[in-house]
Amino acid sequence: MSSRALFTPIKVGEALLQHRCALAPLTRFRATKDHVHTPLGTEYYAQRASVPGTLLISEATFISPSAGGYDYAPGCYKTAQIKAWKEIVDAVHAKGSFIYLQLWHLGRTGSPDVLKAEEGGPFDLVAPSAVAYEGGAMPRAMTIEEIKALPAMYAQAAKNFVEIAGGDGVEIHMANGGSFFLRGPVA
């Protein structure tokens, strides 16, 4: 790609970007223990939206409390979390830019201790199969029912972000032992 193409507009979904540079997802660990962004998160994303027409892809964000396993990462499944994401979305949109939320299920990479202490828990460390992440705890293989429930959890978090918080789209985190299954429509 020539440098001229890098700075030409491109349409991504409904967003008309003014250039082809985007903020890649970066795990920040700056949310509260309840996985709610603070004003620091709003400031962080607004700063990175300063050039109008920029696409930001958020840090990885939990789809449910059972999908977590790290402290201080954000979620998008409770009212307070969605409200905090709306403040971020509004700040990004005020700068003329766009934001996608990266959805996350930690799978085998989560911490069993954090999952046990999570609100609504205790939750098991689960993964598609009982194979440990290098240096990590042994997860329990997900049941058929848990596998079938996972797409709906992703879909609900996506709806929370796009329909309630006003976000522009979502991306699904698929690396490092996370869990994702999709079969047919989820909406």
Side-chain angles (χ1 to χ4, degrees), residues 91-110:
V92 168
H93 287 169
K95 300 276 187 160
S97 289
F98 307 93
I99 185 166
Y100 278 45
L101 186 72
Q102 187 182 66
L103 302 175
W104 201 16
H105 185 297
L106 276 176
R108 71 184 85 250
T109 62

Side-chain angles (χ1 to χ4, degrees), residues 146-161:
E146 288 170 326
I147 292 169
K148 287 180 178 178
L150 201 52
M153 292 163 67
Y154 275 97
Q156 186 60 58
K159 287 178 182 180
N160 292 344
F161 184 71

Side-chain angles (χ1 to χ4, degrees), residues 167-186:
D168 299 296
V170 297
E171 175 192 86
I172 298 174
H173 187 295
M174 295 291 293
N176 307 319
S179 299
F180 179 75
F181 299 89
L182 180 59
R183 192 183 118 232
V186 294

Side-chain angles (χ1 to χ4, degrees), residues 114-179:
V114 172
L115 284 164
K116 286 178 186 163
E118 194 68 56
E119 182 182 336
F123 299 106
D124 291 338
L125 179 67
V126 298
S129 57
V131 176
Y133 189 69
E134 186 175 328
M138 180 62 71
R140 174 180 59 73
M142 296 175 83
T143 65
I144 298 297
E145 292 76 25
E146 288 170 326
I147 292 169
K148 287 180 178 178
L150 201 52
M153 292 163 67
Y154 275 97
Q156 186 60 58
K159 287 178 182 180
N160 292 344
F161 184 71
V162 173
E163 295 177 6
I164 301 172
D168 299 296
V170 297
E171 175 192 86
I172 298 174
H173 187 295
M174 295 291 293
N176 307 319
S179 299

Side-chain angles (χ1 to χ4, degrees), residues 2-69:
S2 75
S3 62
R4 282 181 278 191
L6 185 62
F7 297 104
T8 59
I10 186 171
K11 190 163 185 171
V12 176
E14 296 297 315
L16 179 59
L17 308 181
Q18 295 305 304
H19 51 81
R20 297 164 189 231
C21 301
L23 175 73
L26 303 163
T27 304
R28 307 298 303 153
F29 294 120
R30 291 185 176 170
T32 67
K33 189 91 165 163
D34 293 330
H35 310 291
V36 177
H37 260 300
T38 68
L40 182 61
T42 304
E43 179 182 359
Y44 171 82
Y45 285 106
Q47 288 171 343
R48 280 136 189 92
S50 293
V51 175
T54 297
L55 174 62
L56 310 180
I57 303 172
S58 80
E59 64 208 280
T61 302
F62 298 140
I63 60 172
S64 73
S66 63

